[in-house]
Amino acid sequence: MNAEKEESFVQPKKMSRKRAASAGDSAMEVEYRGIAGAKANNLPGSKRQRTAVDVRKVPVPSHRYTPLKENWLKIFTPIVENLQLQVRFNLKTRNVEIRPSDQTPDVSNLQKAADFVKAFVYGFDVEDALALLRLDNLFVESFEVKDVKTLNGDHLSRAIGRLAGKGGRTKFTIENITKTRIVLADSKIHILGSYQNIQVAMRAVCNLILGSPPSKVYGQLRNVANRMGERL
């Protein structure tokens, strides 16, 4: 991450690209890297005058500085080239600042970009966080273990261990069945996916925190996955 890129907003390139999408495509559910969601509608929306309020600032904690620096090119490229926004990392305030440009086709792109950067700051891979830009109806749900059950010391550590499983097997199983992505950041849990899939994943996570054995949770997930498959 160069100081020049961090201190000045990156100007987006002018792109003359023809974008056409049928009305039926927007409601169709698709997958991106195993995350289910609705196909994004990239038709240009309304433009408006830029004001001082039209700036999103995403604070970056100290333990995410290095990953942000290493993945900066992957982060600002889709924001600048695809969403036609301006982005920079403010070294003084330690915030990623995003604002629209004159070429921004839709003002809603600003919130999409902010959600994308927030997902990366939470701990999701850049490729997984990109699903927020490529698919519609995706959200990030965050909560703590103590929101489900008050645990301290070794009890808290064992609950987090049950969520992860040996070699992360339990977490990966929940992700694959529910088509979501889960980040375990100390006692905080972040889930990325569609609203329905997040609810299924949260139910499984809460059962594990409350002490249910993983085998029982797996069985419940299989039943839910079968019912969801029958609906489709």
Side-chain angles (χ1 to χ4, degrees):
M1 191 188 308
N2 297 330
E4 296 177 1
K5 290 181 181 177
E6 295 165 344
E7 290 298 327
S8 59
F9 281 101
V10 181
Q11 291 289 343
K13 298 176 182 177
K14 288 187 178 180
M15 299 175 68
S16 57
R17 190 183 295 174
K18 218 170 184 181
R19 297 177 181 176
S22 61
D25 287 346
S26 60
M28 184 176 64
E29 186 173 282
V30 294
E31 285 187 31
Y32 172 75
R33 287 179 57 86
I35 306 171
K39 189 174 181 180
N41 183 7
N42 293 323
L43 290 175
S46 58
K47 288 187 177 181
R48 68 178 181 187
Q49 292 293 325
R50 188 177 71 209
T51 63
V53 183
D54 290 334
V55 177
R56 296 290 188 275
K57 297 181 181 180
V58 182
V60 181
S62 57
H63 69 279
R64 296 299 291 172
Y65 290 162
T66 303
L68 181 70
K69 184 176 181 180
E70 292 173 350
N71 294 279
W72 181 247
L73 190 64
K74 295 179 181 178
I75 292 171
F76 88 79
T77 300
I79 293 176
V80 172
E81 295 187 358
N82 298 343
L83 301 182
Q84 300 286 292
L85 299 170
Q86 297 176 349
V87 60
R88 73 175 179 182
F89 179 67
N90 193 320
L91 288 170
K92 293 181 181 178
T93 60
R94 300 292 185 180
N95 289 337
V96 175
E97 298 177 356
I98 308 166
R99 74 180 186 188
S101 67
D102 296 335
Q103 289 83 35
T104 303
D106 191 349
V107 291
S108 65
N109 288 354
L110 191 61
Q111 188 58 47
K112 278 187 179 181
D115 293 339
F116 164 59
V117 176
K118 280 181 185 176
F120 176 79
V121 169
Y122 286 153
F124 293 100
D125 293 337
V126 177
E127 290 77 11
D128 292 335
L130 272 172
L132 291 165
L133 303 182
R134 296 177 181 270
L135 304 177
D136 279 342
N137 301 326
L138 289 188
F139 309 93
V140 176
E141 182 72 29
S142 302
F143 62 98
E144 295 190 38
V145 173
K146 67 180 181 181
D147 296 335
V148 181
K149 186 178 182 181
T150 304
L151 298 171
N152 295 304
D154 292 340
H155 298 291
L156 178 60
S157 301
R158 280 193 290 270
I160 296 172
R162 280 197 302 275
L163 294 177
K166 187 177 181 180
R169 196 181 77 171
T170 302
K171 182 175 81 77
F172 293 146
T173 302
I174 296 174
E175 287 179 340
N176 292 334
I177 294 177
T178 60
K179 296 180 181 177
T180 58
R181 287 294 178 269
I182 300 173
V183 167
L184 302 176
D186 197 12
S187 63
K188 291 184 179 179
I189 302 161
H190 309 288
I191 306 176
L192 185 155
S194 65
Y195 178 80
Q196 182 182 11
N197 293 341
I198 286 176
Q199 299 308 309
V200 176
M202 278 185 67
R203 196 174 298 117
V205 168
C206 291
N207 288 337
L208 288 170
I209 293 173
L210 293 171
S212 296
S215 57
K216 184 178 179 181
V217 174
Y218 290 160
Q220 294 171 346
L221 281 174
R222 283 193 206 97
N223 294 334
V224 172
N226 290 334
R227 286 201 301 269
M228 291 173 67
E230 289 172 1
R231 288 177 192 170
L232 295 174

